[in-house]
Amino acid sequence: MTFTTRPEIRGTFGVATSTHWIASAVGMSILERGGNAFDAAVATAITLQVVEPHLNGPAGDMPAIFQKAGEDVQVVCAQAPAPAGATLEHYRAQNLTLIPGSGLLATVIPGAFDGWMLMLRDHGTMSLRDVLTHAIDYARDGHPMLPRVANTIAGLADYFTEHWPTSAAVWTPNGKAPAANALFKNPDLADTYDRLVTEGEAAGDDRIAQIDAARRAWSEGFVADAIDAYVQTANVMDVSNEKHMGVLTKADMAGWSATYEPSLSYGYHGWTVHKTGPWSQGPVLLQALAILKHFDLAAMDPMGAEFTHTVIEAMKLAYADREAYYGDPLHSEIPMEYLLSDTYNAERAKMISAQASTEQRPGRVPGFEHQADAYIARAAHDFGAADAAPQEPTMAHLTEKRGDTVHLDIIDRWGNMVAATPSGGWLQSNPVVPGLGFPLNSRAQMFWLEDGLPTTLAPGRRPRTTLTPSLATHEDGRRMVFGTPGGDQQDQWQLVWFLRFVHWDMELQACMDAPLFHSMHFQGSFYPREAKPGEMMLEPAFGEDTIADLRARGHIVHVAEPWSVGRLTAALRDPDGIMRAAATPRLMQAYAVGR
């Protein structure tokens, strides 16, 4: 018998799991009231904007991957692009070599709210008021402030007072940072949600008309007006230690809406894994699987050095290709078919030796070699900024000042399932927009200010985001959704979890409780875009022998604090209708519920 930190939730009615217990309970309550997985996902997500404001917000970004029972897998892309004014010429005129990790120059068009409304309109069954009521109540009446949120605000309180007074007004009411576990209210945010509902209901009794009216109120109405009025006059201090004005306008918001697209998939040991396209980092998990299929992982110890080394080396190769070749396929040719081909990955697998690589080794894709060379040159360049760490989202729980991400997975009794990884619009990313109760995002920091790349800053181009939920289907009828926050680590932690689940038949919760690891070798996605060749991090539960073996293989091993790596959640439906769900015990925050 395998002992776990908590039971794996099982039932036949429905399951909801997310990175905050309140949000998971809200999602389950929607299912109990007759809503489907899409209704529950929207209610869960909007609640996460309230209870985890250091990890996501309404003006952030959102990819979701979902499957309606009996239909094909689809993706909701609520990763909005750069504004019309976000030109290379304008940003270079600010004497920048990197886009700052915070502030108005880092802002792309807000995407999350419209993405959730698109899902609710087309696939949900409940009204706008039904799914937003919980979030409105928690914002207006208060919720217990997570200690990590309280610590984050306390660490930024002086900065807010000096540089971002609109944030100080919201996050430090009466001039004081909120106490851990104290009741915290955001009445401006409650008013914003409430007005969106009210303006939606003014369109009549039809739920679709109401949702479309709320989307217009966001993108063309009072929300866009408030954002436009603020950005046109605000001169905001950012992580570059300079003040900058933004380029986002109301016209940008009015001209964009969230969309659907097919998933990208790859077959692995009976499973078909579905991911978002190369405008995210999602395909790196598929590339890693394509490399690792050439190794007998099942013969290795899932907690041992050989498995860890092999997976780390595959990650390095896949992530090198991410940096060289990924970008918005609507604006650049992305050689994804080649990158996932068996011939290509058989050769990539041969590059993994018994020793750790310290080189950046993107593949040489015919016709795209210049992009590989450009990546190698960038990774060798020290963009260093001593004060950059407070704005970098990766491994947010190792410091209280970094933004990060949230995740949710939901399955209903009809077999509909949703995985989503919302992020952006953190309280650390930008000042609060006056009167709205939330800040703008900082996703534009993932663009480069050099010509000719699929990730070069350009108006209308989506940044190559790190947000990457997963959905997998098995040939025996099992289907599951899973994911994690964690910036560049998202697909690394998901990969380790998935491999253990597939090859050693571990339960969802046991896979989550097992120690995790990740590479820091490749160039990071967030300001100041550091690469740390040969470096990796793992949890101490691997044991001294494994750690010593990895070091002998040439890895630069950082041992994390116990129970500090990864924030995974997952939900699965068996062919007989039994559902399972799990959530990581790390941070004592994520929870799975169901019956």
Side-chain angles (χ1 to χ4, degrees):
M1 179 178 179
T2 300
F3 291 93
T4 57
T5 57
R6 55 181 70 170
E8 183 172 273
I9 301 300
R10 293 175 184 252
T12 57
F13 180 82
V15 290
T17 181
S18 81
T19 49
H20 196 295
W21 68 88
I22 288 178
S24 299
V26 165
M28 193 66 201
S29 75
I30 294 292
L31 297 181
E32 295 282 6
R33 289 163 52 196
N36 65 18
F38 305 103
D39 300 312
V42 175
T44 300
I46 304 300
T47 301
L48 285 169
Q49 294 172 1
V50 177
V51 298
E52 294 196 292
H54 62 319
L55 307 180
N56 78 133
D61 330 276
M62 185 278 286
I65 190 164
F66 69 91
Q67 186 175 37
K68 294 189 80 169
E71 298 186 11
D72 292 337
V73 176
Q74 284 189 279
V75 169
V76 174
C77 178
Q79 176 54 68
T87 64
L88 279 178
E89 294 74 20
H90 178 75
Y91 279 59
R92 286 171 173 170
Q94 313 299 312
N95 296 317
L96 296 170
T97 56
L98 287 178
I99 297 175
S102 64
L104 295 177
L105 284 178
T107 298
V108 299
I109 300 167
F113 181 80
D114 191 72
W116 289 119
M117 293 301 100
L118 181 69
M119 178 184 288
L120 180 66
R121 185 194 71 181
D122 295 344
H123 303 291
T125 64
M126 301 181 81
S127 72
L128 189 62
R129 184 171 294 279
D130 287 336
V131 298
L132 261 63
T133 290
H134 290 93
I136 292 170
D137 290 346
Y138 279 117
R140 192 177 309 287
D141 301 330
H143 60 90
M145 174 66 80
L146 287 169
R148 292 183 182 276
V149 186
N151 291 341
T152 297
I153 295 171
L156 292 167
D158 291 343
Y159 187 89
F160 287 164
T161 299
E162 182 177 359
H163 299 297
W164 295 1
T166 57
S167 291
V170 170
W171 308 119
T172 57
N174 302 314
K176 295 182 179 179
N181 298 313
L183 204 63
F184 182 81
K185 303 175 183 180
N186 188 342
D188 285 350
L189 182 59
D191 288 345
T192 297
Y193 291 141
D194 195 45
R195 185 171 172 183
L196 286 165
V197 172
T198 300
E199 294 204 10
E201 291 175 339
D205 295 332
D206 181 73
R207 63 175 293 276
I208 291 177
Q210 291 180 2
I211 295 167
D212 281 339
R215 294 175 75 191
R216 289 192 298 273
W218 174 273
S219 63
E220 303 174 32
F222 79 95
V223 173
D225 287 339
I227 291 173
D228 188 77
Y230 177 65
V231 174
Q232 298 316 307
T233 59
N235 196 20
V236 169
M237 180 69 73
D238 58 43
V239 74
S240 70
N241 286 325
E242 298 287 343
K243 290 184 177 182
H244 294 105
M245 298 186 73
V247 296
L248 178 67
T249 68
K250 181 178 179 179
D252 293 314
M253 294 184 64
W256 176 86
S257 60
T259 55
Y260 297 109
E261 60 184 57
S263 64
L264 192 64
S265 64
Y266 186 79
Y268 184 83
H269 288 267
W271 287 91
T272 300
V273 183
H274 295 264
K275 300 292 289 185
T276 49
W279 51 267
S280 79
Q281 73 177 6
V284 295
L285 190 147
L286 306 183
Q287 281 197 247
L289 292 176
I291 295 169
L292 291 168
K293 71 184 291 185
H294 298 281
F295 295 86
D296 186 6
L297 296 183
M300 302 178 188
D301 176 358
M303 312 301 168
E306 184 180 10
F307 171 76
T308 304
H309 167 77
T310 303
V311 174
I312 281 283
E313 294 303 298
M315 288 174 178
K316 291 177 183 178
L317 295 171
Y319 273 80
D321 284 349
R322 179 197 76 168
E323 285 302 298
Y325 301 116
Y326 291 15
D328 187 345
L330 298 178
H331 285 252
S332 301
E333 183 181 358
I334 312 298
M336 209 65 248
E337 184 176 353
Y338 189 94
L339 293 172
L340 287 175
S341 67
D342 288 339
T343 301
Y344 176 74
N345 285 290
E347 293 302 311
R348 297 292 270 167
K350 293 176 183 177
M351 298 174 69
I352 297 178
S353 69
Q355 287 295 304
S357 170
T358 57
E359 298 178 355
Q360 304 295 339
R361 298 186 291 176
R364 308 296 294 181
V365 178
F368 296 83
E369 293 90 347
H370 63 288
Q371 292 178 204
D373 295 337
Y375 167 55
I376 292 169
R378 287 199 310 275
H381 183 77
D382 182 10
F383 292 100
D387 58 349
Q391 304 300 329
E392 186 215 328
T394 305
M395 294 296 288
H397 53 278
L398 299 186
T399 171
E400 306 296 356
K401 295 182 180 179
R402 299 179 185 178
D404 201 339
T405 304
V406 298
H407 186 79
L408 62 91
D409 301 297
I410 297 176
I411 307 176
D412 65 27
R413 63 186 127 161
W414 301 285
N416 303 308
M417 54 178 55
V418 181
T421 313
S423 186
W426 320 296
L427 63 85
Q428 309 92 311
S429 62
N430 257 300
V432 168
V433 180
L436 296 183
F438 63 80
L440 296 171
N441 63 76
S442 55
R443 191 62 58 180
Q445 66 182 290
M446 296 184 173
F447 287 116
W448 290 100
L449 297 179
E450 58 183 281
D451 293 299
L453 305 174
T455 47
T456 297
L457 176 69
R461 175 176 280 171
R462 289 173 288 183
R464 197 277 301 144
T465 180
T466 55
L467 307 175
T468 173
S470 300
L471 189 153
T473 61
H474 194 271
E475 56 194 21
D476 66 9
R478 285 177 290 168
R479 298 183 294 131
M480 67 178 177
V481 281
F482 56 99
T484 178
D488 293 306
Q489 278 69 49
Q490 288 182 26
D491 278 305
Q492 300 193 67
W493 296 334
Q494 291 181 71
L495 176 65
V496 175
W497 179 89
F498 180 73
L499 291 171
R500 287 172 174 163
F501 177 80
V502 169
H503 290 293
W504 293 279
D505 199 27
M506 298 169 66
E507 291 188 347
L508 304 182
Q509 190 64 51
C511 287
M512 246 162 243
D513 287 0
L516 288 168
F517 59 86
H518 62 263
S519 173
M520 300 180 288
H521 170 82
F522 49 85
Q523 193 156 41
S525 299
F526 299 90
Y527 186 91
R529 312 302 297 268
E530 293 178 293
K532 299 179 179 179
E535 298 190 33
M536 63 170 291
M537 180 175 284
L538 52 60
E539 292 182 302
F542 277 97
E544 293 182 3
D545 289 346
T546 295
I547 294 169
D549 189 331
L550 289 167
R551 285 174 171 154
R553 294 170 187 253
H555 296 279
I556 302 170
V557 179
H558 300 273
V559 181
E561 292 296 316
W563 296 99
S564 66
V565 174
R567 296 183 63 207
L568 286 150
T569 69
L572 181 147
R573 189 180 192 272
D574 288 317
D576 62 3
I578 290 179
M579 287 173 256
R580 297 183 262 162
T584 182
R586 295 164 178 86
L587 306 191
M588 297 172 60
Q589 197 172 299
Y591 255 86
V593 294
R595 70 171 179 85

